[in-house]
């Protein structure tokens, strides 16, 4: 059931569904989420069931206001405070120690929990309306089948789950890839997943360098090696390799699509080609929608030009590498 996110009555209806333990599709500035009240483990369990997601893979809890983090966090490290002051509301998830009595299912049983205060006006309106009904936060992974391409438009959510799920339509997500995730549980900040917010900006706000993940890092949403995959097999290649591969490709190959910034199809090629935006923010915004469009062509293979090494492309590169690993 698709409802207009700018309609206050629709928002109130969705908030009531959450309060009663049901599921709602909601827009955020990153991707659309599949939400349930985070303080009821049975409600959160319905997310895992509908997505086909392993119950040991934690979810991110979305908050109406930054101050609501106190309801889930057993401790609030100074670096978490600095990052929240800089980027909340916004596309940043902070991993902090969890209150033992709160949100065990959403945290997949870990002693830490991922918290985010989204900036999307529809998400904020829904979270506030839900809070008025006693919902302290909403656990919301991306609203797609587990491991598949994340949704950035309301119709993507309907394609995934049908029209029985209540989905608030907030338009196309302005960022287009999931939030950056910073672990703040171990005395030094660790970047677990890149996003729109670049490392340089995060480090400036944190007041220290972000370390790389290690074996001690908590499990976090969207950090599995294989993720974000289309149905077609996706191969990520540097531009020179991709050019060579296209030149030697047999003329009968028609089940392949190209997604590239600088590489073009050879003259007379019958392959499908979807241009990748030249700028990192635009590429992030379009990435998942473009992959869904290409996948809908029914091709067997998608050849993708590897993004440039510029740090601005870290989020896009991360998603493409995980999509290729899933293939």
């Amino acid at each position: 059931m698709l409802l207009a996110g700018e309609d206050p009555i629709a928002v109130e209806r969705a908030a009531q569904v959450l309060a009663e333990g049901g599921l709602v599709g909601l827009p955020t500035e990153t991707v659309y989420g599949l939400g349930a009240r985070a303080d009821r483990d049975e409600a959160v369990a319905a997310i895992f069931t509908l997505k086909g997601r392993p119950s040991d893979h934690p979810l991110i809890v979305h908050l109406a206001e930054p101050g609501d983090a106190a309801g889930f966090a057993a401790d609030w490290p100074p670096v978490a405070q600095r990052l929240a002051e800089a980027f909340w509301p916004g596309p940043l998830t902070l991993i902090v120690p969890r209150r033992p009595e709160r949100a065990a299912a959403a945290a997949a049983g870990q002693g830490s929990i991922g918290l985010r205060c989204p900036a999307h006006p529809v998400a904020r309106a829904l979270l506030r309306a839900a809070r008025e009904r006693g919902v302290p936060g909403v656990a919301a992974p991306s609203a797609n089948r587990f491991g598949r391409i994340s949704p950035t438009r309301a119709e993507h959510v309907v394609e995934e789950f049908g029209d029985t799920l209540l989905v608030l339509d907030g338009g196309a997500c302005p960022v287009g890839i999931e939030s950056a995730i910073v672990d703040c549980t171990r005395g030094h900040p660790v970047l677990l997943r890149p996003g729109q917010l670049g490392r340089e900006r995060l480090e400036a706000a944190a007041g220290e360098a972000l370390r790389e993940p290690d074996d001690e890092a908590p499990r976090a949403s969207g950090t599995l090696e294989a993720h974000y995959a289309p149905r077609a097999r996706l191969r990520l290649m540097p531009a020179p390799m991709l050019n060579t591969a296209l030149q030697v490709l047999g003329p009968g190959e028609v089940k392949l699509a190209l997604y590239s910034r600088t590489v073009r199809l050879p003259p007379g090629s019958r392959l499908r080609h979807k241009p990748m935006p030249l700028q990192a923010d635009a590429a992030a915004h379009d990435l998942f929608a473009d992959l869904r469009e290409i996948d809908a062509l029914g091709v067997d293979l998608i050849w993708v030009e590897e993004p440039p090494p510029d740090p601005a492309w870290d989020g896009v590169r991360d998603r493409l590498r995980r999509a290729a690993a899933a293939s």
Side-chain angles (χ1 to χ4, degrees), residues 38-62:
D39 60 330
R40 289 189 185 173
D41 288 354
E42 66 275 15
V44 171
I47 295 177
F48 290 105
T49 299
L50 185 58
K51 280 180 63 75
R53 181 186 180 105
S55 60
D56 64 351
H57 196 49
L59 310 178
I60 293 168
V61 175
H62 294 66

Side-chain angles (χ1 to χ4, degrees), residues 136-281:
V138 173
S142 57
N144 55 278
R145 304 290 178 181
F146 181 67
R148 294 302 180 182
I149 303 172
S150 299
T152 54
R153 298 174 186 167
E155 55 265 33
H156 296 162
V157 184
V158 176
E159 290 169 6
E160 292 282 339
F161 300 121
D163 58 6
T164 57
L165 177 72
L166 192 158
V167 181
L168 291 178
D169 187 351
C173 298
V175 173
I177 59 173
E178 295 82 357
S179 61
I181 300 178
V182 177
D183 174 22
C184 300
T185 64
R186 294 182 290 156
H188 50 263
V190 179
L191 182 61
L192 300 184
R193 180 175 72 182
Q196 181 200 46
L197 297 173
R199 178 183 288 270
E200 186 175 339
R201 292 180 66 192
L202 291 168
E203 290 181 338
E208 57 185 297
L210 299 182
R211 301 192 187 184
E212 295 298 320
D214 56 27
D215 292 340
E216 301 301 318
R219 299 188 306 279
S221 185
T223 56
L224 294 177
E225 182 63 26
H227 215 53
Y228 314 114
R231 291 179 177 83
R233 288 181 291 137
L234 186 149
R235 186 177 180 191
L236 190 60
M237 292 182 275
M241 181 185 296
L242 189 51
N243 270 315
T244 299
L246 288 169
Q247 294 299 326
V248 301
L249 192 66
E253 177 59 78
V254 295
K255 289 287 190 177
L256 186 150
L258 174 67
Y259 188 47
S260 63
R261 296 173 61 251
T262 65
V263 175
R264 297 293 178 260
L265 291 175
S269 174
R270 293 181 295 161
L271 302 181
R272 305 295 187 99
H273 178 224
K274 179 74 176 179
M276 182 188 298
L278 296 176
Q279 302 302 317
D281 282 351

